[in-house]
Amino acid sequence: LIATKMAALSLSTSALGLAHGVAPPRGSPSISMMAKATGKDTLIALAEEQQIPMGFWDPLKLADKDFWSEGNDATVGWLRHAEIKH
C-alpha cells in the first residue's frame, strides 16, 4: 500500500515538473546584488540616524569579523541578510 502511494506521488511530481527541483525565475537578482556592501561605519551611521536609545551595539564584535575571507563588507552584508531572513 505504501509502495503504490509512493509510486503515485512520484508520477504526479514528475508530471508537474517538480522532480527536477525549483529554480529561481530568470532575471531575479542574486543575494549579492540585493545586499548593499556595508561596513561597520554604515551600521554606526544607521544607528545614529534611527536614534536608537542604546546607539550602535555590537557586544560580540561581529561587525569587525571577516567570515570566509570575503572581507568585512561581505560579512556585514551576510549578517544583515541572515537577520532579515530569520
Side-chain angles (χ1 to χ4, degrees):
L1 180 64
I2 293 175
T4 48
K5 287 186 179 184
M6 293 296 286
L9 180 62
S10 175
L11 285 174
S12 64
T13 57
S14 63
L16 293 173
L18 299 176
H20 300 291
V22 179
R26 292 181 138 220
S28 65
S30 67
I31 292 173
S32 62
M33 290 173 56
M34 283 189 231
K36 293 180 181 177
T38 61
K40 184 176 180 178
D41 296 334
T42 306
L43 294 176
I44 292 171
L46 183 64
E48 290 173 0
E49 178 183 307
Q50 294 179 351
Q51 300 177 350
I52 298 172
M54 68 186 114
F56 176 72
W57 189 61
D58 184 20
L60 298 177
K61 306 291 186 221
L62 293 176
D64 297 325
K65 303 295 182 199
D66 182 10
F67 296 175
W68 307 288
S69 301
E70 293 288 326
N72 183 260
D73 288 349
T75 299
V76 170
W78 184 85
L79 289 169
R80 290 183 78 180
H81 173 76
E83 182 180 2
I84 292 168
K85 183 177 178 182
H86 298 289

